[in-house]
Coordinates of all heavy atoms in Angstrom, one line a residue:
M1 N -21.0 0.3 1.6 CA -19.8 0.8 1.8 C -19.4 0.6 3.4 O -20.3 0.6 4.2 CB -19.7 2.4 1.6 CG -19.7 2.6 0.2 SD -18.2 2.5 -0.6 CE -18.5 3.2 -2.1
I2 N -18.2 0.5 3.7 CA -17.8 0.3 5.1 C -17.1 1.6 5.5 O -16.2 2.1 5.0 CB -16.6 -0.9 5.2 CG1 -17.4 -2.1 4.7 CG2 -16.2 -1.0 6.6 CD1 -16.5 -3.3 4.7
R3 N -17.5 2.1 6.7 CA -16.8 3.2 7.3 C -16.0 2.8 8.5 O -16.8 2.3 9.4 CB -17.9 4.4 7.6 CG -17.3 5.7 8.2 CD -16.7 6.5 7.1 NE -16.2 7.6 7.6 CZ -15.4 8.5 7.1 NH1 -14.9 8.2 5.8 NH2 -15.1 9.7 7.6
T4 N -14.7 3.2 8.5 CA -13.9 2.7 9.6 C -13.3 3.8 10.3 O -12.6 4.7 9.5 CB -12.9 1.6 9.3 OG1 -12.1 2.2 8.2 CG2 -13.6 0.4 8.8
T5 N -13.5 4.1 11.6 CA -12.8 5.3 12.3 C -12.2 4.9 13.6 O -12.1 5.6 14.5 CB -13.9 6.4 12.5 OG1 -14.9 5.8 13.1 CG2 -14.4 7.0 11.1
T6 N -11.8 3.7 13.8 CA -11.2 3.2 15.1 C -9.8 3.9 15.2 O -9.2 4.3 14.1 CB -11.1 1.7 15.2 OG1 -10.3 1.3 14.2 CG2 -12.5 1.1 15.2
L7 N -9.3 3.9 16.4 CA -7.9 4.3 16.5 C -6.9 3.6 15.7 O -5.9 4.1 15.1 CB -7.6 4.4 17.9 CG -8.1 5.4 18.9 CD1 -7.9 5.2 20.3 CD2 -7.9 6.9 18.3
A8 N -7.1 2.2 15.6 CA -6.2 1.4 14.9 C -6.3 1.6 13.5 O -5.4 1.2 12.7 CB -6.4 -0.1 15.3
N9 N -7.4 2.0 12.9 CA -7.7 2.1 11.5 C -8.2 3.5 11.3 O -9.4 3.6 11.3 CB -8.6 0.9 11.0 CG -8.6 0.8 9.6 OD1 -8.2 1.6 8.9 ND2 -9.2 -0.4 9.2
R10 N -7.6 4.5 10.8 CA -8.0 5.8 10.6 C -8.3 6.2 9.1 O -7.8 7.2 8.7 CB -7.0 6.7 11.2 CG -6.9 6.6 12.7 CD -5.9 7.6 13.3 NE -5.7 7.2 14.7 CZ -4.9 7.9 15.4 NH1 -4.1 8.8 14.9 NH2 -4.7 7.7 16.6
R11 N -9.1 5.4 8.5 CA -9.5 5.6 7.0 C -10.4 7.0 7.1 O -11.2 7.0 8.0 CB -10.2 4.5 6.5 CG -9.3 3.3 6.3 CD -10.0 2.2 5.6 NE -9.1 1.1 5.5 CZ -9.6 -0.2 5.3 NH1 -10.8 -0.4 5.3 NH2 -8.6 -1.1 5.1
H12 N -10.0 7.7 6.0 CA -10.9 9.0 5.9 C -11.9 8.8 4.9 O -12.9 9.6 4.9 CB -10.0 10.2 5.5 CG -8.9 10.3 6.6 ND1 -9.2 11.0 7.7 CD2 -7.5 10.1 6.6 CE1 -8.1 11.2 8.5 NE2 -7.2 10.6 7.9
E13 N -12.0 7.8 4.1 CA -12.9 7.5 3.0 C -13.6 6.2 3.3 O -13.0 5.4 3.9 CB -12.3 7.6 1.6 CG -11.8 8.9 1.2 CD -10.3 9.0 1.7 OE1 -9.7 8.0 2.1 OE2 -9.8 10.2 1.7
D14 N -14.8 6.0 2.7 CA -15.5 4.8 2.7 C -14.7 3.8 1.9 O -14.2 4.2 0.9 CB -16.9 4.9 2.2 CG -17.8 5.7 3.1 OD1 -17.4 5.8 4.3 OD2 -18.7 6.4 2.6
R15 N -14.6 2.6 2.4 CA -14.0 1.5 1.5 C -15.1 0.4 1.2 O -16.0 0.0 2.1 CB -12.9 0.9 2.4 CG -11.7 1.7 2.8 CD -10.8 1.9 1.5 NE -9.7 2.8 1.9 CZ -8.5 2.4 2.2 NH1 -8.2 1.2 2.2 NH2 -7.6 3.4 2.5
E16 N -14.9 -0.2 0.0 CA -15.8 -1.2 -0.3 C -14.9 -2.4 -0.5 O -14.1 -2.4 -1.4 CB -16.4 -0.8 -1.7 CG -17.5 -1.8 -2.2 CD -18.1 -1.3 -3.4 OE1 -18.1 -0.2 -3.7 OE2 -18.8 -2.2 -4.0
P17 N -15.4 -3.6 0.0 CA -14.6 -4.8 -0.1 C -14.6 -5.2 -1.7 O -15.6 -5.1 -2.2 CB -15.3 -5.8 0.7 CG -16.1 -5.0 1.7 CD -16.4 -3.8 1.0
F18 N -13.4 -5.7 -2.1 CA -13.4 -5.9 -3.5 C -12.2 -6.8 -3.8 O -11.2 -6.7 -3.2 CB -13.2 -4.6 -4.4 CG -13.5 -4.8 -5.9 CD1 -14.8 -4.6 -6.3 CD2 -12.5 -5.1 -6.7 CE1 -15.2 -4.8 -7.6 CE2 -12.9 -5.2 -8.0 CZ -14.1 -5.1 -8.5
T19 N -12.4 -7.8 -4.6 CA -11.3 -8.7 -5.1 C -11.1 -8.7 -6.5 O -12.0 -8.9 -7.3 CB -11.6 -10.0 -4.6 OG1 -11.8 -10.1 -3.0 CG2 -10.4 -11.1 -4.8
T20 N -9.8 -8.5 -6.9 CA -9.5 -8.5 -8.4 C -8.0 -8.6 -8.4 O -7.2 -8.4 -7.5 CB -9.9 -7.2 -9.1 OG1 -9.8 -7.5 -10.5 CG2 -9.3 -6.0 -8.6
E21 N -7.4 -8.9 -9.6 CA -6.2 -9.1 -9.8 C -5.6 -7.6 -9.9 O -6.2 -6.7 -10.4 CB -5.6 -9.8 -11.0 CG -6.2 -11.3 -11.1 CD -5.3 -12.0 -10.0 OE1 -4.1 -11.9 -9.7 OE2 -5.9 -12.8 -9.2
A22 N -4.1 -7.4 -9.4 CA -3.6 -6.0 -9.5 C -2.3 -6.2 -9.8 O -1.6 -7.3 -9.7 CB -3.9 -5.3 -8.2
E23 N -1.6 -5.0 -10.3 CA -0.2 -5.0 -10.5 C 0.4 -3.8 -9.8 O -0.2 -2.9 -9.7 CB 0.0 -4.8 -12.1 CG -0.4 -5.9 -13.0 CD -0.2 -5.6 -14.4 OE1 -0.3 -4.4 -14.8 OE2 -0.1 -6.4 -15.2
I24 N 1.6 -4.1 -9.2 CA 2.2 -3.0 -8.4 C 3.6 -2.9 -8.9 O 4.4 -3.8 -9.1 CB 2.4 -3.5 -6.9 CG1 1.0 -3.7 -6.4 CG2 3.1 -2.4 -6.2 CD1 1.1 -4.3 -4.9
Y25 N 4.1 -1.7 -9.4 CA 5.2 -1.2 -10.0 C 6.1 -0.4 -9.0 O 5.6 0.7 -8.6 CB 5.1 -0.5 -11.3 CG 4.4 -1.3 -12.3 CD1 2.9 -1.3 -12.2 CD2 5.1 -2.0 -13.2 CE1 2.4 -2.1 -13.3 CE2 4.5 -2.7 -14.3 CZ 3.0 -3.0 -14.2 OH 2.4 -3.7 -15.2
L26 N 7.3 -0.8 -8.6 CA 8.1 0.0 -7.7 C 8.9 1.2 -8.6 O 9.2 0.9 -9.8 CB 9.2 -0.8 -7.1 CG 8.6 -1.9 -6.2 CD1 9.7 -2.8 -5.6 CD2 7.9 -1.3 -4.9
E27 N 9.0 2.3 -8.0 CA 9.7 3.5 -8.6 C 11.1 3.2 -8.9 O 11.7 3.7 -9.8 CB 9.4 4.6 -7.9 CG 10.1 4.7 -6.5 CD 10.0 6.1 -5.9 OE1 9.3 6.9 -6.4 OE2 10.5 6.1 -4.8
S28 N 11.7 2.3 -8.0 CA 13.1 2.0 -8.2 C 13.4 0.8 -7.4 O 12.6 0.2 -6.6 CB 13.9 3.2 -7.3 OG 15.2 2.8 -7.1
S29 N 14.6 0.0 -7.8 CA 14.8 -1.2 -7.2 C 15.8 -1.1 -5.9 O 15.9 -2.1 -5.3 CB 15.4 -2.2 -8.2 OG 16.8 -1.5 -8.6
V30 N 16.3 0.1 -5.5 CA 17.1 0.4 -4.5 C 16.5 1.5 -3.6 O 16.2 2.5 -4.2 CB 18.5 0.7 -4.8 CG1 19.3 1.0 -3.7 CG2 19.1 -0.4 -5.7
F31 N 16.3 1.2 -2.3 CA 15.9 2.3 -1.4 C 16.8 2.3 -0.2 O 17.3 1.5 0.3 CB 14.5 1.8 -0.8 CG 13.4 1.8 -1.7 CD1 13.0 0.5 -2.3 CD2 12.6 2.9 -2.1 CE1 12.1 0.4 -3.2 CE2 11.7 2.8 -3.1 CZ 11.4 1.6 -3.6
R32 N 17.1 3.6 0.1 CA 18.0 3.9 1.2 C 17.2 3.7 2.5 O 16.1 4.0 2.7 CB 18.4 5.4 1.2 CG 19.3 5.7 0.1 CD 20.6 5.2 0.1 NE 21.6 6.2 0.2 CZ 22.9 5.6 0.2 NH1 23.1 4.3 0.2 NH2 24.0 6.3 0.2
A33 N 17.9 3.2 3.6 CA 17.1 2.8 4.8 C 18.2 2.8 6.0 O 19.4 2.7 5.7 CB 16.6 1.3 4.7
R34 N 17.7 2.8 7.1 CA 18.4 2.7 8.4 C 18.2 1.5 9.1 O 16.9 1.2 9.4 CB 18.2 3.9 9.2 CG 19.0 4.0 10.6 CD 18.7 5.3 11.4 NE 17.3 5.6 11.5 CZ 16.4 5.2 12.3 NH1 16.8 4.2 13.3 NH2 15.2 5.5 12.4
L35 N 19.1 0.6 9.5 CA 18.7 -0.6 10.3 C 18.3 -0.2 11.6 O 19.0 0.5 12.4 CB 20.1 -1.4 10.3 CG 19.9 -2.7 11.1 CD1 19.0 -3.7 10.4 CD2 21.2 -3.3 11.4
V36 N 17.2 -0.6 12.1 CA 16.6 -0.4 13.4 C 16.9 -1.5 14.4 O 17.4 -1.3 15.6 CB 15.0 -0.2 13.3 CG1 14.4 0.1 14.8 CG2 14.8 1.1 12.4
D37 N 16.7 -2.7 14.0 CA 17.0 -3.9 14.9 C 17.1 -5.1 14.0 O 16.5 -5.2 13.0 CB 16.0 -4.0 16.1 CG 14.6 -4.2 15.7 OD1 14.2 -4.9 14.7 OD2 13.7 -3.7 16.2
V38 N 17.8 -6.1 14.7 CA 18.0 -7.3 13.9 C 18.1 -8.5 14.9 O 18.3 -8.4 16.0 CB 19.4 -7.3 13.1 CG1 20.6 -7.1 14.1 CG2 19.6 -8.5 12.3
S39 N 17.6 -9.7 14.4 CA 17.6 -10.8 15.1 C 17.8 -12.1 14.3 O 18.0 -11.8 13.0 CB 16.3 -11.1 15.9 OG 15.3 -11.5 15.0
D40 N 17.9 -13.3 14.8 CA 18.2 -14.4 13.9 C 17.0 -14.6 13.1 O 17.1 -15.2 11.9 CB 18.4 -15.7 14.7 CG 19.7 -15.7 15.4 OD1 20.7 -15.0 14.9 OD2 19.9 -16.4 16.4
G41 N 15.8 -14.2 13.4 CA 14.5 -14.4 12.6 C 14.1 -13.2 11.6 O 13.3 -13.3 10.9
G42 N 14.8 -12.1 11.8 CA 14.3 -11.0 10.9 C 15.0 -9.6 11.1 O 16.0 -9.6 12.0
V43 N 14.7 -8.7 10.5 CA 15.4 -7.5 10.6 C 14.1 -6.2 10.3 O 13.2 -6.5 9.6 CB 16.4 -7.2 9.5 CG1 15.9 -7.3 8.1 CG2 17.4 -6.0 9.8
R44 N 14.4 -5.1 11.0 CA 13.6 -3.9 10.8 C 14.5 -2.8 10.3 O 15.5 -2.5 10.8 CB 12.9 -3.6 11.9 CG 11.9 -2.4 11.9 CD 11.0 -2.2 13.0 NE 11.7 -2.0 14.2 CZ 11.4 -1.1 15.2 NH1 10.6 -0.1 15.0 NH2 12.1 -1.0 16.4
F45 N 13.8 -2.2 9.2 CA 14.4 -1.0 8.6 C 13.5 0.2 8.7 O 12.4 0.1 8.8 CB 14.9 -1.2 7.2 CG 15.9 -2.2 6.9 CD1 15.5 -3.5 6.4 CD2 17.1 -1.9 7.0 CE1 16.4 -4.4 6.1 CE2 18.1 -2.9 6.8 CZ 17.8 -4.1 6.3
A46 N 14.2 1.4 8.8 CA 13.4 2.6 8.7 C 13.8 3.2 7.5 O 15.1 3.4 7.2 CB 13.7 3.6 10.0
V47 N 12.9 3.9 6.7 CA 13.2 4.5 5.4 C 12.9 6.0 5.6 O 11.9 6.4 6.4 CB 12.5 4.1 4.2 CG1 12.9 2.5 4.0 CG2 10.9 4.0 4.5
P48 N 13.8 7.0 5.2 CA 13.5 8.4 5.4 C 12.3 9.0 4.6 O 11.9 10.0 4.9 CB 15.0 9.0 4.8 CG 15.3 8.0 3.9 CD 14.9 6.6 4.2
K49 N 11.8 8.2 3.5 CA 10.7 8.8 2.8 C 9.9 7.7 2.4 O 10.3 6.5 2.4 CB 11.0 9.6 1.6 CG 11.7 8.9 0.4 CD 12.0 9.9 -0.6 CE 12.6 9.0 -1.7 NZ 12.3 9.7 -3.0
A50 N 8.5 7.9 2.1 CA 7.7 6.9 1.7 C 8.1 6.2 0.4 O 8.9 6.8 -0.4 CB 6.2 7.5 1.4
I51 N 7.8 4.9 0.4 CA 8.2 4.2 -0.8 C 7.1 4.4 -1.9 O 5.9 4.0 -1.7 CB 8.3 2.7 -0.6 CG1 9.6 2.5 0.4 CG2 8.5 1.9 -1.8 CD1 9.7 1.2 0.9
N52 N 7.3 4.9 -3.0 CA 6.3 5.2 -4.0 C 6.1 4.1 -5.0 O 7.2 3.4 -5.4 CB 6.6 6.5 -4.9 CG 6.5 7.7 -4.0 OD1 5.8 7.7 -3.0 ND2 7.1 8.8 -4.5
V53 N 4.9 3.8 -5.5 CA 4.8 2.8 -6.4 C 3.7 3.2 -7.4 O 3.1 4.2 -7.2 CB 4.1 1.5 -5.7 CG1 5.2 0.9 -4.7 CG2 2.9 1.7 -5.0
H54 N 3.5 2.4 -8.4 CA 2.3 2.6 -9.4 C 1.5 1.4 -9.4 O 2.0 0.3 -9.4 CB 3.0 2.8 -10.7 CG 2.0 3.4 -11.7 ND1 1.5 4.7 -11.8 CD2 1.1 2.7 -12.6 CE1 0.5 4.8 -12.7 NE2 0.3 3.7 -13.2
V55 N 0.2 1.6 -9.2 CA -0.7 0.5 -9.1 C -1.6 0.4 -10.3 O -2.1 1.6 -10.8 CB -1.5 0.5 -7.7 CG1 -0.5 0.2 -6.6 CG2 -2.3 1.7 -7.6
R56 N -1.9 -0.7 -10.8 CA -3.0 -0.8 -11.9 C -3.9 -2.0 -11.5 O -3.5 -3.1 -11.1 CB -2.3 -1.2 -13.2 CG -1.4 -0.1 -13.8 CD -1.0 -0.1 -15.1 NE -0.5 -1.4 -15.5 CZ 0.1 -1.7 -16.6 NH1 0.3 -0.7 -17.5 NH2 0.6 -2.8 -16.9
F57 N -5.3 -1.7 -11.6 CA -6.1 -2.9 -11.4 C -7.4 -2.5 -12.3 O -7.6 -1.4 -12.7 CB -6.5 -3.0 -9.9 CG -6.8 -1.7 -9.3 CD1 -8.1 -1.4 -9.0 CD2 -5.8 -0.9 -8.7 CE1 -8.5 -0.1 -8.5 CE2 -6.2 0.3 -8.0 CZ -7.5 0.6 -7.9
K58 N -8.3 -3.3 -12.4 CA -9.6 -3.2 -13.1 C -10.7 -3.5 -12.2 O -10.7 -4.4 -11.4 CB -9.5 -4.3 -14.4 CG -10.3 -4.0 -15.4 CD -9.9 -5.0 -16.5 CE -11.2 -5.2 -17.4 NZ -10.9 -6.2 -18.5
I59 N -11.7 -2.6 -12.3 CA -13.0 -2.7 -11.6 C -14.1 -2.9 -12.7 O -14.4 -1.9 -13.4 CB -13.3 -1.6 -10.7 CG1 -12.3 -1.6 -9.5 CG2 -14.7 -1.8 -10.0 CD1 -12.3 -0.4 -8.6
G60 N -14.5 -4.1 -12.8 CA -15.5 -4.3 -14.0 C -14.7 -4.1 -15.2 O -13.6 -4.7 -15.6
E61 N -15.1 -3.2 -16.2 CA -14.4 -3.0 -17.3 C -13.5 -1.6 -17.2 O -12.8 -1.3 -18.2 CB -15.4 -2.7 -18.5 CG -16.2 -4.0 -18.9 CD -15.2 -5.1 -19.4 OE1 -14.3 -4.8 -20.1 OE2 -15.4 -6.2 -18.8
K62 N -13.6 -1.0 -16.1 CA -12.9 0.1 -15.9 C -11.4 -0.1 -15.5 O -11.3 -0.8 -14.4 CB -13.5 1.0 -14.8 CG -12.8 2.5 -14.7 CD -13.7 3.3 -13.7 CE -12.9 4.7 -13.5 NZ -13.7 5.5 -12.6
R63 N -10.4 0.4 -16.1 CA -9.0 0.3 -15.7 C -8.6 1.4 -14.8 O -8.8 2.6 -15.3 CB -8.1 0.1 -16.9 CG -8.4 -1.2 -17.7 CD -7.4 -1.2 -18.9 NE -8.0 -2.3 -19.7 CZ -7.3 -3.6 -19.7 NH1 -6.4 -3.7 -18.9 NH2 -7.6 -4.6 -20.6
I64 N -8.0 1.1 -13.7 CA -7.5 2.2 -12.7 C -6.0 2.1 -12.8 O -5.3 1.0 -12.7 CB -8.0 1.9 -11.3 CG1 -9.5 1.7 -11.3 CG2 -7.4 3.0 -10.5 CD1 -10.3 2.8 -11.7
S65 N -5.3 3.2 -13.0 CA -3.9 3.3 -12.9 C -3.5 4.6 -12.1 O -3.8 5.7 -12.6 CB -3.3 3.5 -14.4 OG -1.9 3.5 -14.4
R66 N -2.8 4.3 -11.0 CA -2.5 5.5 -10.0 C -1.2 5.4 -9.4 O -0.7 4.2 -9.2 CB -3.7 5.5 -8.9 CG -5.1 5.7 -9.4 CD -5.4 7.1 -9.6 NE -5.1 8.0 -8.5 CZ -6.0 8.5 -7.5 NH1 -7.2 7.9 -7.7 NH2 -5.7 9.3 -6.7
N67 N -0.7 6.4 -9.1 CA 0.7 6.4 -8.2 C 0.2 6.5 -6.8 O -1.0 7.0 -6.4 CB 1.4 7.8 -8.5 CG 2.0 7.7 -9.8 OD1 2.5 6.7 -10.3 ND2 2.0 8.9 -10.5
A68 N 1.0 5.8 -6.0 CA 0.6 5.5 -4.5 C 1.8 5.4 -3.6 O 2.9 5.4 -4.2 CB -0.3 4.2 -4.4
Q69 N 1.6 5.6 -2.4 CA 2.7 5.3 -1.4 C 2.3 4.1 -0.4 O 1.1 4.1 0.0 CB 2.8 6.6 -0.5 CG 3.5 7.8 -1.4 CD 3.8 9.0 -0.4 OE1 3.1 9.2 0.6 NE2 4.5 9.8 -0.8
L70 N 3.2 3.4 -0.1 CA 3.1 2.3 0.8 C 3.0 2.9 2.3 O 3.9 3.7 2.7 CB 4.3 1.4 0.8 CG 4.4 0.2 1.8 CD1 3.2 -0.7 1.6 CD2 5.7 -0.5 1.8
I71 N 1.9 2.6 2.9 CA 1.6 3.2 4.3 C 1.8 2.2 5.3 O 2.2 2.5 6.4 CB 0.1 3.8 4.3 CG1 -0.1 4.7 3.1 CG2 -0.2 4.1 5.7 CD1 0.9 6.1 3.5
W72 N 1.3 0.8 5.2 CA 1.4 -0.1 6.2 C 1.5 -1.5 5.5 O 1.2 -1.7 4.3 CB 0.2 -0.1 7.1 CG -1.1 -0.4 6.5 CD1 -2.0 0.6 6.1 CD2 -1.7 -1.5 6.2 NE1 -3.1 0.0 5.5 CE2 -3.0 -1.3 5.6 CE3 -1.4 -2.9 6.4 CZ2 -3.8 -2.4 5.2 CZ3 -2.2 -4.0 6.0 CH2 -3.5 -3.7 5.6
C73 N 2.0 -2.5 6.3 CA 2.1 -3.8 6.0 C 1.7 -4.7 7.2 O 2.0 -4.4 8.4 CB 3.5 -4.1 5.5 SG 3.8 -5.9 5.1
G74 N 1.1 -5.9 7.0 CA 0.8 -6.8 8.1 C 0.5 -8.1 7.6 O 0.2 -8.3 6.5
R75 N 0.6 -9.1 8.4 CA 0.4 -10.5 8.1 C -1.1 -10.8 8.1 O -1.8 -10.3 8.9 CB 1.0 -11.4 9.1 CG 0.8 -12.8 8.8 CD 2.1 -13.7 9.0 NE 3.4 -13.3 8.8 CZ 4.2 -13.5 7.7 NH1 3.7 -14.0 6.6 NH2 5.4 -13.2 7.7
N76 N -1.6 -11.5 7.1 CA -2.9 -11.9 7.0 C -3.2 -13.2 7.5 O -2.4 -14.0 7.9 CB -3.7 -11.6 5.6 CG -2.8 -12.5 4.5 OD1 -2.5 -13.5 4.7 ND2 -2.8 -11.9 3.3
A77 N -4.7 -13.7 7.4 CA -5.0 -15.0 8.0 C -4.5 -16.1 7.1 O -4.3 -17.3 7.7 CB -6.7 -15.0 7.9
E78 N -4.2 -16.0 6.0 CA -3.5 -17.0 5.0 C -2.0 -17.0 5.1 O -1.4 -17.7 4.3 CB -4.0 -16.7 3.5 CG -5.5 -16.9 3.3 CD -6.3 -15.6 3.6 OE1 -5.7 -14.5 3.5 OE2 -7.4 -15.8 4.0
D79 N -1.4 -16.3 6.1 CA -0.1 -16.3 6.3 C 0.7 -15.7 5.2 O 1.8 -15.9 5.1 CB 0.5 -17.8 6.6 CG 1.8 -17.8 7.5 OD1 1.9 -16.8 8.2 OD2 2.7 -18.7 7.2
G80 N 0.0 -14.8 4.5 CA 0.6 -14.0 3.5 C 0.7 -12.6 4.1 O 0.6 -12.4 5.3
L81 N 0.9 -11.6 3.2 CA 1.1 -10.2 3.8 C 0.0 -9.3 3.1 O -0.3 -9.4 1.8 CB 2.5 -9.6 3.4 CG 3.6 -10.2 4.2 CD1 4.9 -9.7 3.7 CD2 3.5 -10.0 5.7
D82 N -0.6 -8.5 3.8 CA -1.4 -7.3 3.3 C -0.6 -6.1 3.2 O 0.0 -5.7 4.2 CB -2.7 -7.2 4.1 CG -3.6 -8.4 4.0 OD1 -3.5 -9.2 3.0 OD2 -4.5 -8.5 4.9
Y83 N -0.8 -5.2 2.2 CA -0.2 -4.0 2.1 C -1.2 -2.9 2.0 O -2.2 -3.1 1.1 CB 0.9 -3.9 0.9 CG 1.9 -4.8 1.0 CD1 2.0 -6.0 0.4 CD2 3.0 -4.4 1.7 CE1 3.0 -6.9 0.5 CE2 4.2 -5.2 1.8 CZ 4.2 -6.5 1.1 OH 5.2 -7.4 1.4
G84 N -1.1 -1.7 2.7 CA -2.0 -0.6 2.5 C -1.3 0.4 1.7 O -0.1 0.8 2.1
F85 N -1.9 1.1 0.8 CA -1.4 2.1 0.0 C -2.4 3.4 0.0 O -3.5 3.2 0.2 CB -1.2 1.8 -1.5 CG -0.3 0.7 -1.7 CD1 -0.5 -0.6 -1.7 CD2 1.2 1.0 -1.8 CE1 0.3 -1.6 -2.0 CE2 2.0 0.0 -2.1 CZ 1.6 -1.3 -2.1
T86 N -1.8 4.6 -0.1 CA -2.6 5.8 -0.2 C -2.2 6.4 -1.6 O -1.0 6.3 -2.1 CB -2.3 6.8 0.9 OG1 -3.2 7.9 0.8 CG2 -0.9 7.3 0.8
F87 N -3.4 6.8 -2.3 CA -3.2 7.3 -3.5 C -2.4 8.7 -3.4 O -2.9 9.5 -2.6 CB -4.4 7.4 -4.4 CG -5.0 6.2 -4.8 CD1 -6.4 6.0 -4.5 CD2 -4.3 5.1 -5.4 CE1 -7.0 4.7 -4.8 CE2 -4.9 3.9 -5.7 CZ -6.2 3.8 -5.5
I88 N -1.5 9.0 -4.4 CA -0.8 10.4 -4.4 C -1.7 11.2 -5.3 O -2.0 10.8 -6.4 CB 0.6 10.2 -5.0 CG1 1.5 9.2 -4.0 CG2 1.2 11.4 -5.1 CD1 2.8 8.8 -4.7
Q89 N -2.0 12.4 -4.7 CA -2.8 13.4 -5.5 C -1.9 13.8 -6.6 O -0.8 14.3 -6.5 CB -3.2 14.5 -4.7 CG -4.1 14.1 -3.5 CD -5.4 13.6 -4.0 OE1 -6.0 14.0 -5.0 NE2 -5.9 12.6 -3.3
E90 N -2.5 13.8 -7.9 CA -1.8 14.2 -9.0 C -1.8 15.6 -9.1 O -2.8 16.3 -8.9 CB -2.5 13.7 -10.3 CG -2.5 12.0 -10.3 CD -1.3 11.3 -10.3 OE1 -0.2 11.9 -11.0 OE2 -1.1 10.3 -9.8
E91 N -0.7 16.4 -9.5 CA -0.7 17.7 -9.5 C -0.6 18.2 -10.9 O -0.4 17.6 -11.8 CB 0.7 18.3 -8.9 CG 0.7 17.9 -7.4 CD 2.0 18.4 -6.7 OE1 2.7 19.3 -7.3 OE2 2.4 17.9 -5.7

């Protein structure tokens, strides 16, 4: 397990590197947002609440299906995007 506690990465639980296919389901196709800044190359929006999603993936033979919130996004080494989600505690 990997334990990370740097200021830039404040994970509270141990993480284990893992690669598998996954599915992400958005709760809605429209989100209210506020335009923060704009340029010829892009735009930044602020949203008033977290964007909720439903994620499904498989670890070995175990299927995982959880509700989650989008927490961060960043460009990765393959010029794609990585997304970080936190699981929503079921009530």
Side-chain angles (χ1 to χ4, degrees):
M1 295 277 188
I2 297 172
R3 179 75 174 165
T4 55
T5 56
T6 64
L7 290 177
N9 190 349
R10 297 179 182 174
R11 292 181 179 157
H12 298 283
E13 296 87 18
D14 293 337
R15 297 281 178 104
E16 183 176 343
F18 197 86
T19 301
T20 188
E21 295 297 315
E23 298 172 331
I24 300 171
Y25 297 86
L26 295 176
E27 68 177 2
S28 172
S29 60
V30 177
F31 296 95
R32 298 287 239 184
R34 178 176 49 85
L35 178 67
V36 176
D37 58 44
V38 64
S39 71
D40 287 339
V43 63
R44 179 170 54 135
F45 292 103
V47 294
K49 65 176 188 158
I51 295 174
N52 291 340
V53 300
H54 189 82
V55 296
R56 293 194 313 193
F57 52 94
K58 205 171 155 183
I59 298 177
E61 294 303 312
K62 183 177 181 182
R63 294 178 187 267
I64 310 295
S65 181
R66 299 282 302 271
N67 290 322
Q69 288 182 341
L70 178 62
I71 299 299
W72 61 266
C73 176
R75 184 137 332 258
N76 63 33
E78 291 82 31
D79 206 28
L81 294 173
D82 289 338
Y83 295 95
F85 295 92
T86 185
F87 292 133
I88 299 171
Q89 297 298 320
E90 305 296 328
E91 296 180 22

